[in-house]
Amino acid sequence: MSDALSLIPAAVHRNLSDKLYEKRKYAALEIENIAKNLTSAGDHEKLSKVIDMLVKEFAKSPQPNHRKGGVLALAAVTVGLSSEAPQYLEQIVPPVIQSFSDQDSRVRYYACEALYNIAKIVRGEFIFFFNQIFDALCKLSADSDPTVQSAAHVLDGLVKDIVTESDEFSVEEFIPLLKERMNVLNPFVRQFLVEWITVLDGVPDFDMLGFLPDFLDGLFNMLSDPSHEIRQQAVSALSEFLQEIKNSPSVDYGRMAEILVQRASFPDEFTRLTAITWINEFVQLGGEQLVRYYADILGAILPCISDKNEKIRVVAHETNDELRSIHVEPSDGFDVGAILSVAKRQLSSDHEATRIEALNWILTLLNKHRAEVMCFFYDIFDTLLKALSDSSDDVVLLVLEVHAGVAKDPQHFRHLIVFLIHNFRADNSLLERRGALIVRRLCVLLDAERVYRELSTILEGEDNLDFASTMVQALNLILLTSSELSKLRNLLRGSLVSREGKELLVALYASWCHSPMAIISLCLLAQAYQHASVVIQSLVEEDINVKFLVQLDKLIRLLETPIFTYLRLQLLEPGRHPWLLKTLYGLLMLLPQQSAAFGILQTRLKAVPTYSISGGGDQISRAFSGVPFSQYMHHHQDGDAEDYNINSSHQGINFGARLQQFENVQNQHRGQARNKVNYSYSSSSSSTSKEVRTSKEQQPPSLSSSSIAENNRPPTRSSRKGSGQLQL
């Protein structure tokens, strides 16, 4: 140390720590000359001692002015060493870099100035310290002192020049430094990092594209930065990389796809748009290379289809269509189960467009990879059933299309119908709101006769009689009104002459027995007028309730529609169709005279030609003979019912057995109705008894308990009737 001090004059030593910059600068120039002389003399040992003294006595001194002079002196030594400087860099550079974190901003400033001068001298040799310098510059870019920031910026420019010229710079070693700083939020640091990425990407020898997955997420982070300048720099860098991807024959799409998928759901709108745009390009460019990421990509695309930003929606739709058009097989790594899982999850989306596209994917997979879909179908079956209650008709129609595609297999067909009825039973509102739409669409997608036969078979054994009645009424109304079921109506219309029609009538009859009005409608459709008349006569008092009359009102109005044109035309020949006339008169007698339906039917019957009735002969006489229903049943049991005999057009249909079947089912309904009434009455009686006991205690003595009991007893059936008449 003493040797080093002897080499430096005391005045230089004193001026180097002076508070005035000019004196420190003069002292640094003197030290530069000393270094030159020692270099010329080849006295490396003394040079090394001088440098050590400057580091210990000045650069690392507790006095700020000493430290300022120290870094200036180290730079001066480097200048004096000139070409010999590289061999002393390990002594010179580290203390200068340490000064970048000095508490005194002026020390930091002079450290930047010193390192700038050192770098100009050694140029390429400077790369050895790049990692430490980069780290220091990154921190200085966010320095609180603007002058330090400015000095660091100048130094940074020189370092960039040196790096781009160097053959020794290693991108592989640089990327970890870059990656760990990409999530810093400071705007100055972000700007510093983007500039470095842009500079290095512009050097042909540096393959920054190969390392893009390491810092891509950080660039996307910057797209939502509050600073417009940083956002623009990030956009510019990303655009340049995307163009390189388009021109590159080999790209690691997979790692980047994972990042883009996450960014596609980012809250920032511009970030989502950029991410979905990149995904769109990747799907077009990467194609089959992205097979194992299809499910993740789809999970990002589907929500974007309903994005509030129109540009995002448009790009998402294009990407979705492109992805769906790619032809890949499970053997290529295509995971059908994963795609179905994503579609299932998106069926719970709040947005209709997303739910529709999720269903379109299920349909696409069902058409392309049916066997694989069926392996996972029960995982999504319940979700698809719940989707039948969706608020959107378009969604419901697509769900039905999916179900119909599955139901092409017989075992799945019955499974679908069973679960459909279960859903209707569990949710009455579904039947009311969507019942007609669901049944009609299934009849279009699948065979209408097959659907109705299966529904009838299941409802025939339904334990919930009220639901069975409601369901049959709904199916009957659909049968009578829907254009999609016109072929089915035509088949039933010929049921008395064709085998197919007879089989269908018998198949539907069993479940239609749950509703008297449905049976009557079915008979009118099948032109089994005699049986319709007998069914009407079989009705008893408790069958004629408000629900029945409402259904009857609907039927009367339906008789005036084009569907029953053939029936109205048959009224022109009542002689040939006497049982039709009697059926209609039977319905008329069931209607209240004040109702609109009564007026409609009465007006229609008045239009029946009287000459045809008078010329009807024995047929009309027998139809209107007044033979009571009990005699029909009695004659049938004796096998001697001429008026209810099965003629040639009825061969194959045992209407007597059908009538007995109807009676049995209706008796079950009547029994259930009585049980409900009895339960309700017993509950009310229990309540009334308590009131009576309370009232007895408060009654005046003149009122006897027997008279109270008599007054509280419900009227008997006989007490409601007068002599020979029914009091209503």
Side-chain angles (χ1 to χ4, degrees):
M1 184 69 69
S2 59
D3 292 343
L5 288 172
S6 63
L7 292 172
I8 301 175
V12 174
H13 194 281
R14 185 171 56 253
N15 288 337
L16 197 59
S17 61
D18 197 277
K19 64 180 180 180
L20 294 177
Y21 172 73
E22 291 300 327
K23 289 186 177 181
R24 293 196 303 272
K25 185 177 180 181
Y26 174 78
L29 290 174
E30 289 296 323
I31 291 175
E32 178 183 335
N33 290 328
I34 293 171
K36 284 181 180 179
N37 294 331
L38 291 174
T39 302
S40 298
D43 198 341
H44 297 291
E45 183 179 353
K46 289 182 179 180
L47 275 170
S48 181
K49 288 179 180 180
V50 168
I51 295 171
D52 284 341
M53 183 273 295
L54 292 174
V55 171
K56 293 175 182 178
E57 295 294 324
F58 290 90
K60 294 185 178 182
S61 171
Q63 301 299 320
N65 289 331
H66 281 66
R67 296 197 297 274
K68 294 174 188 175
V71 294
L72 287 176
L74 289 173
V77 169
T78 305
V79 174
L81 288 169
S82 186
S83 60
E84 299 292 329
Q87 59 184 309
Y88 295 98
L89 287 180
E90 290 189 15
Q91 284 180 275
I92 296 172
V93 174
V96 176
I97 293 176
Q98 289 175 12
S99 299
F100 285 160
S101 58
D102 197 283
Q103 292 181 349
D104 191 317
S105 61
R106 298 309 294 168
V107 174
R108 297 196 299 273
Y109 174 84
Y110 289 122
C112 291
E113 181 181 304
L115 195 60
Y116 180 87
N117 291 325
I118 294 170
K120 282 200 305 182
I121 297 299
V122 297
R123 300 296 293 186
E125 302 296 334
F126 195 66
I127 296 299
F128 179 78
F129 300 96
F130 176 80
N131 287 0
Q132 298 97 304
I133 295 171
F134 180 84
D135 180 63
L137 287 174
C138 186
K139 294 173 182 176
L140 289 177
S141 65
D143 198 279
S144 57
D145 190 324
T147 59
V148 175
Q149 281 191 11
S150 178
H153 182 71
V154 174
L155 173 61
D156 181 56
L158 177 60
V159 175
K160 287 189 177 80
D161 290 341
I162 293 172
V163 166
T164 54
E165 295 170 359
S166 173
D167 295 330
E168 303 297 324
F169 179 75
S170 172
V171 176
E172 289 85 352
E173 294 179 7
F174 167 71
I175 291 301
L177 290 174
L178 178 66
K179 183 178 179 180
E180 68 183 21
R181 290 164 176 77
M182 286 302 292
N183 291 322
V184 174
L185 299 179
N186 187 282
F188 297 105
V189 175
R190 283 185 163 184
Q191 189 171 7
F192 171 81
L193 295 174
V194 175
E195 288 175 354
W196 265 99
I197 291 172
T198 304
V199 167
L200 294 179
D201 186 50
V203 179
D205 295 336
F206 297 159
D207 181 23
M208 288 295 286
L209 181 60
F211 297 97
L212 180 58
D214 292 305
F215 55 87
L216 179 63
D217 191 58
L219 283 175
F220 268 90
N221 255 337
M222 296 179 189
L223 294 177
S224 58
D225 194 277
S227 169
H228 176 72
E229 184 178 358
I230 293 174
R231 291 199 303 272
Q232 287 299 110
Q233 287 180 322
V235 169
S236 177
L238 286 170
S239 299
E240 186 64 32
F241 277 118
L242 186 58
Q243 189 60 44
E244 290 178 32
I245 289 171
K246 293 179 181 179
N247 299 328
S248 176
S250 176
V251 178
D252 183 5
Y253 291 103
R255 287 179 61 198
M256 289 188 284
E258 294 175 351
I259 297 169
L260 297 174
V261 164
Q262 295 175 0
R263 290 295 165 183
S265 60
F266 201 67
D268 180 67
E269 196 172 87
F270 186 68
T271 302
R272 292 200 307 276
L273 176 59
T274 308
I276 202 70
T277 302
W278 273 60
I279 291 175
N280 181 40
E281 294 290 347
F282 275 27
V283 169
Q284 295 182 41
L285 297 170
E288 296 181 4
Q289 297 180 44
L290 292 169
V291 170
R292 53 192 292 255
Y293 299 98
Y294 275 7
D296 294 333
I297 292 174
L298 182 62
I301 292 172
L302 291 181
C304 289
I305 286 174
S306 303
D307 199 279
K308 60 184 179 181
N309 185 298
E310 183 181 0
K311 292 181 180 179
I312 295 176
R313 294 198 302 271
V314 170
V315 177
H317 271 292
E318 291 177 359
T319 310
N320 184 57
D321 294 340
E322 183 72 27
L323 190 64
R324 199 160 51 210
S325 66
I326 298 174
H327 299 287
V328 288
E329 298 296 329
S331 57
D332 300 324
F334 181 61
D335 192 341
V336 174
I339 297 290
L340 284 175
S341 179
V342 170
K344 174 186 175 181
R345 185 169 63 251
Q346 294 303 326
L347 283 177
S348 302
S349 169
D350 295 332
H351 304 287
E352 177 184 346
T354 295
R355 300 196 300 274
I356 287 176
E357 287 306 319
L359 288 166
N360 280 329
W361 265 98
I362 296 175
L363 277 172
T364 300
L365 293 177
L366 192 60
N367 293 331
K368 291 183 177 180
H369 310 289
R370 183 180 182 84
E372 289 77 10
V373 170
M374 297 314 299
C375 294
F376 299 98
F377 188 73
Y378 287 106
D379 294 337
I380 63 172
F381 188 74
D382 288 341
T383 303
L384 288 172
L385 283 177
K386 291 177 183 177
L388 291 173
S389 302
D390 197 278
S391 57
S392 166
D393 285 350
D394 291 336
V395 172
V396 173
L397 291 175
L398 275 173
V399 172
L400 291 172
E401 196 167 339
V402 173
H403 280 301
V406 175
K408 291 177 181 178
D409 299 333
Q411 69 273 23
H412 294 297
F413 174 76
R414 179 168 179 80
H415 195 194
L416 167 63
I417 303 301
V418 168
F419 272 86
L420 190 60
I421 290 178
H422 171 76
N423 274 21
F424 284 146
R425 186 192 304 110
D427 184 4
N428 288 331
S429 62
L430 176 62
L431 180 58
E432 294 173 5
R433 294 182 293 105
R434 289 280 189 266
L437 176 67
I438 292 172
V439 173
R440 289 168 59 185
R441 187 60 181 168
L442 283 179
C443 287
V444 171
L445 297 171
L446 302 168
D447 182 56
E449 180 180 353
R450 184 186 179 198
V451 172
Y452 260 71
R453 279 178 176 271
E454 194 64 42
L455 285 168
S456 180
T457 300
I458 296 170
L459 288 172
E460 182 181 355
E462 177 61 46
D463 295 329
N464 188 334
L465 298 181
D466 288 339
F467 167 72
S469 178
T470 302
M471 187 72 194
V472 166
Q473 292 164 21
L475 291 174
N476 184 65
L477 186 62
I478 296 169
L479 175 63
L480 295 178
T481 58
S482 299
S483 58
E484 294 89 344
L485 274 72
S486 59
K487 291 184 178 179
L488 203 61
R489 289 194 295 272
N490 291 334
L491 190 60
L492 284 168
R493 202 168 292 154
S495 60
L496 301 183
V497 293
S498 71
R499 179 179 60 81
E500 294 82 3
K502 293 174 186 177
E503 291 175 352
L504 178 59
L505 176 61
V506 171
L508 297 184
Y509 194 100
S511 60
W512 258 238
C513 287
H514 285 292
S515 171
M517 195 49 58
I519 280 291
I520 294 170
S521 303
L522 186 65
C523 290
L524 292 176
L525 195 59
Q527 303 186 62
Y529 302 131
Q530 183 177 359
H531 187 65
S533 177
V534 174
V535 168
I536 291 171
Q537 292 187 63
S538 73
L539 300 176
V540 298
E541 176 184 349
E542 54 192 307
D543 295 332
I544 315 300
N545 51 36
V546 175
K547 290 183 179 179
F548 177 88
L549 293 175
V550 169
Q551 295 169 47
L552 178 54
D553 183 280
K554 291 180 181 179
L555 176 60
I556 298 305
R557 296 177 190 277
L558 283 172
L559 291 177
E560 298 298 316
T561 62
I563 292 172
F564 284 101
T565 299
Y566 71 93
L567 182 147
R568 298 196 299 275
L569 291 175
Q570 288 174 349
L571 289 175
L572 293 173
E573 300 177 300
R576 294 184 58 189
H577 308 284
W579 291 104
L580 170 59
L581 201 59
K582 183 166 184 176
T583 297
L584 295 180
Y585 270 109
L587 295 177
L588 186 68
M589 294 304 108
L590 296 177
L591 287 166
Q593 292 189 34
Q594 298 84 357
S595 65
F598 182 91
I600 294 171
L601 183 55
Q602 186 182 45
T603 301
R604 175 60 63 186
L605 289 172
K606 285 180 180 179
V608 176
T610 54
Y611 68 86
S612 298
I613 296 177
S614 60
D618 293 340
Q619 292 186 30
I620 295 181
S621 298
R622 285 189 300 176
F624 289 86
S625 62
V627 178
F629 172 70
S630 59
Q631 290 190 27
Y632 281 109
M633 293 301 296
H634 174 69
H635 290 165
H636 168 66
Q637 291 167 2
D638 293 342
D640 187 27
E642 181 182 353
D643 292 291
Y644 199 49
N645 196 18
I646 299 175
N647 56 34
S648 58
S649 65
H650 291 64
Q651 285 182 357
I653 303 178
N654 187 340
F655 280 112
R658 300 283 80 77
L659 184 62
Q660 187 63 53
Q661 186 179 22
F662 172 74
E663 277 290 297
N664 292 338
V665 175
Q666 285 303 303
N667 283 334
Q668 294 178 31
H669 281 272
R670 293 163 190 157
Q672 178 176 279
R674 292 189 199 102
N675 291 337
K676 288 183 179 179
V677 171
N678 291 338
Y679 176 77
S680 177
Y681 174 68
S682 63
S683 299
S684 62
S685 295
S686 174
S687 176
T688 303
S689 298
K690 293 179 182 178
E691 294 176 4
V692 169
R693 286 195 296 271
T694 303
S695 176
K696 283 172 65 178
E697 297 173 0
Q698 300 174 356
Q699 284 294 334
S702 59
L703 294 176
S704 65
S705 60
S706 62
S707 63
I708 294 172
E710 185 65 31
N711 289 334
N712 283 281
R713 182 182 301 119
T716 62
R717 184 173 184 132
S718 60
S719 68
R720 293 187 226 131
K721 294 184 181 180
S723 176
Q725 63 180 358
L726 177 65
Q727 295 180 355
L728 300 177

